[in-house]
Amino acid sequence: MIHKLTYRRRNHDNMHVHGYREEGTTTTPFDMVVLNGLDRYRLALDAIRYIPRYRDRVEHETQRYWTAMERHKLYVGEHGEDMPEVKNWRWSA
């Protein structure tokens, strides 16, 4: 619905919509946001893609993201909980 409301209008290139996708699984809190493409890393990667002055970093950061997500997937599968750097992360600002 949001796509229909915004993408028909002018100047929508700076708008991107993320939302919940039901996967039918029970998993960790962070994994749920990863499965829905709403994790902080994916959102940061999207920002890098849409900000012209960061375009030269897209390829490197995309590879870094997928490497981290593979580590995440393996860790959750083995331990059944989020990685310590995710679970113990706190906003430092």
Side-chain angles (χ1 to χ4, degrees), residues 17-80:
V17 179
H18 293 275
Y20 178 76
R21 288 181 239 147
E22 176 59 51
E23 297 292 330
T25 61
T26 303
T27 187
T28 68
F30 182 70
D31 197 42
M32 285 302 295
V33 294
V34 168
L35 290 171
N36 282 288
L38 298 171
D39 58 277
R40 60 184 175 260
Y41 304 110
R42 174 82 59 99
L43 297 176
L45 188 56
D46 279 353
I48 290 169
R49 281 191 189 117
Y50 289 105
I51 299 172
R53 69 175 179 260
Y54 294 134
R55 288 220 174 107
D56 63 327
R57 297 172 56 178
V58 170
E59 187 175 333
H60 172 73
E61 296 303 330
T62 299
Q63 182 58 43
R64 199 168 143 210
Y65 172 79
W66 288 112
T67 299
M69 290 304 102
E70 185 61 29
R71 275 186 42 242
H72 158 76
K73 181 180 177 181
L74 293 171
Y75 189 93
V76 169
E78 183 177 337
H79 300 279

